[in-house]
Amino acid sequence: MDSGGSVRTPGEEGPVFSRENNALEAGPEGQAPPEHMDVGSMIKILAESVRWARLCAAVGILCAACVAFADPLEAEEQRRRPSGAQSDPFFRPESDRTFQQVPQALDQTGEPIVDFFAPEDLSSLENLPRAIGADGTELGDLPESEFMEDLEKREEAAPKESWLRRGGYLEYRGTYSTNIDLSAPGVDFDLRRTGRTNVDAIREVERNDFVNSFELDYDYEFAIQPEVLKAAIRYNLYSEYYSDNGSENNMLNHLEFALIRRLSPQTEWEIYGGFETENRDTHAQFLRPDYDQNTVGTEVRHTVGEGKYLSMGYEYKTRNYESNLGGDPLTITPYQDWTEQYVWSRYYHDICANVTFDIGLSLRDRDHESPALDPIGARQPGTYRDYDLWEPRVGLYFKPSDRDQVYVFYRYRDLDSTGEYYDYQENVVTVQYRHDVLPQCFPGLVFRSEFEWARRSYDDQVAFADDRPTLGLRTAKNDPRDDERITLYLALEREFNECWTTGIDFTYVDNDSSDDSSRYQEDRYGFYVRREF
């Protein structure tokens, strides 16, 4: 096309047709057309016109075919394209679909650039990954239906988190205690066994000793109806052996059986029953006897929503003490049988990935066969001890960083008993902290700590002052007994692998009481080795 808008066929040097005046213009040499043309010239012009007419007809047929087979959506886009946008290569009409296609890059001609792999020959496809069957073998080219069926089989065969729990641990702990009986310094009026009849029989205080303890804990669950019903066997064994005071040796066994049924994907229901025994030497301090305990209970655990969990349960216990301790002299223990009903509820809420809030409430009702006690601890014949204890609690767990975990909780206890000796209210605040120490240099090294503060105020129990220790006499104070206890626990442990853990720990207990015989302190220094399985 020249500046005047005329069109010339490529490679042609003949006359040029002008769209403005439908006339022939001058040829390439700039010569004007002749005024008189002969017959040969007219025949030549006619033949040229026929050739142009055939070319235009072919183009018209081709355009009609393109329109006939064009995509209706493309035709609709062309119809909706505004005036002047027909030749705009960057024009993109808004789609009337529910999604908008991502704009594509265009080349210089306005056509979209499509990036795809075009192999030169089939040899380049030989080493591409193939579909793998459920048995691990390579599959050939499958129809889509067969491929999807094989994919479902692979997903079913993939390992899943088991509903069954199996495992436990065995732990040895060596502890040196400065006060194994938690006795008051200088004087103690708690029940004791020494075999002597003088006043010194109740004045052994702050005995220290080294204690070897062993604990075995194991849970084994097996399916009765897969993913619906399972059974559990739980066993715990704990024993203590004293180096110098062998009369304090003890052993506790606890065996429990349970049935757990999954009522829905969010709810499971457990029924359990257990048996517990504790065996002590006949000369144990505080006249502690052996006992047998039976327990039955039920619990429902429910996932309320994402990150929200609720558990509720009921438990019934009976404990039977041996009436006679034996030994020298034959002694009747002050411990008497009792039965207890226990109801609890606990709710957990994951506020976010690193913060969990929990709240709970528990109620206990215990009936003793022992007589009730008055404010000074004297028995009330004909009245049996019975108490109700309710305990609300609230806690918050959070992770300040990947290496730190903190759990803070508060609980309140209110005990109401027949007689006036045991009634009290208690406030307890506990802070637990865990820190991974230099995981890059010492993987598995963990620091643990716990601090607890408790304040217990008795309603009527009389506090005594040991102001005449030589005579073994005490003087009643004007105000009821009030205790404040502080407990501090520190531990540094190392997890060598998934099975073995060892550590050292320290525990400090300080109970400051307005009742002089109930004031005590204890330091415990220990180390432990634990094998998990």
Side-chain angles (χ1 to χ4, degrees), residues 332-466:
I332 298 177
T333 174
Y335 291 86
Q336 299 294 324
D337 302 345
W338 53 256
T339 61
E340 179 185 87
Q341 299 184 75
Y342 174 44
V343 181
W344 74 91
S345 178
R346 195 84 176 268
Y347 175 74
Y348 300 86
H349 182 194
D350 295 336
I351 300 176
C352 61
N354 295 329
V355 180
T356 299
F357 169 80
D358 71 270
I359 187 171
L361 175 65
S362 63
L363 303 171
R364 295 178 187 267
D365 177 73
R366 182 179 294 183
D367 298 328
H368 291 258
E369 295 182 4
S370 57
L373 304 179
D374 66 10
I376 63 172
R379 296 184 180 184
Q380 297 177 328
T383 303
Y384 291 93
R385 182 183 173 193
D386 180 14
Y387 76 69
D388 297 320
L389 173 67
W390 71 285
E391 179 181 321
R393 60 172 293 156
V394 60
L396 185 67
Y397 164 85
F398 58 96
K399 288 185 67 175
S401 68
D402 293 338
R403 296 167 52 184
D404 300 284
Q405 301 177 36
V406 180
Y407 181 50
V408 182
F409 66 90
Y410 165 80
R411 71 171 183 262
Y412 173 80
R413 286 179 173 174
D414 189 311
L415 186 143
D416 184 18
S417 174
T418 55
E420 298 86 9
Y421 189 76
Y422 291 103
D423 298 355
Y424 68 82
Q425 293 81 41
E426 183 179 48
N427 295 275
V428 182
V429 177
T430 304
V431 180
Q432 298 174 346
Y433 175 67
R434 182 186 188 277
H435 175 71
D436 295 334
V437 182
L438 300 175
Q440 297 83 3
C441 303
F442 306 101
L445 186 62
V446 177
F447 170 75
R448 301 179 188 274
S449 66
E450 177 177 316
F451 175 81
E452 181 177 278
W453 174 88
R455 181 69 176 266
R456 177 180 295 186
S457 299
Y458 289 83
D459 293 344
D460 301 298
Q461 185 180 140
V462 175
F464 288 93
D466 293 309

Side-chain angles (χ1 to χ4, degrees), residues 163-164 221-232 258-260:
W163 188 39
L164 304 178
E221 297 182 351
F222 57 93
I224 298 177
Q225 185 177 354
E227 302 301 323
V228 176
L229 182 64
K230 64 179 179 179
L259 286 176
I260 303 98

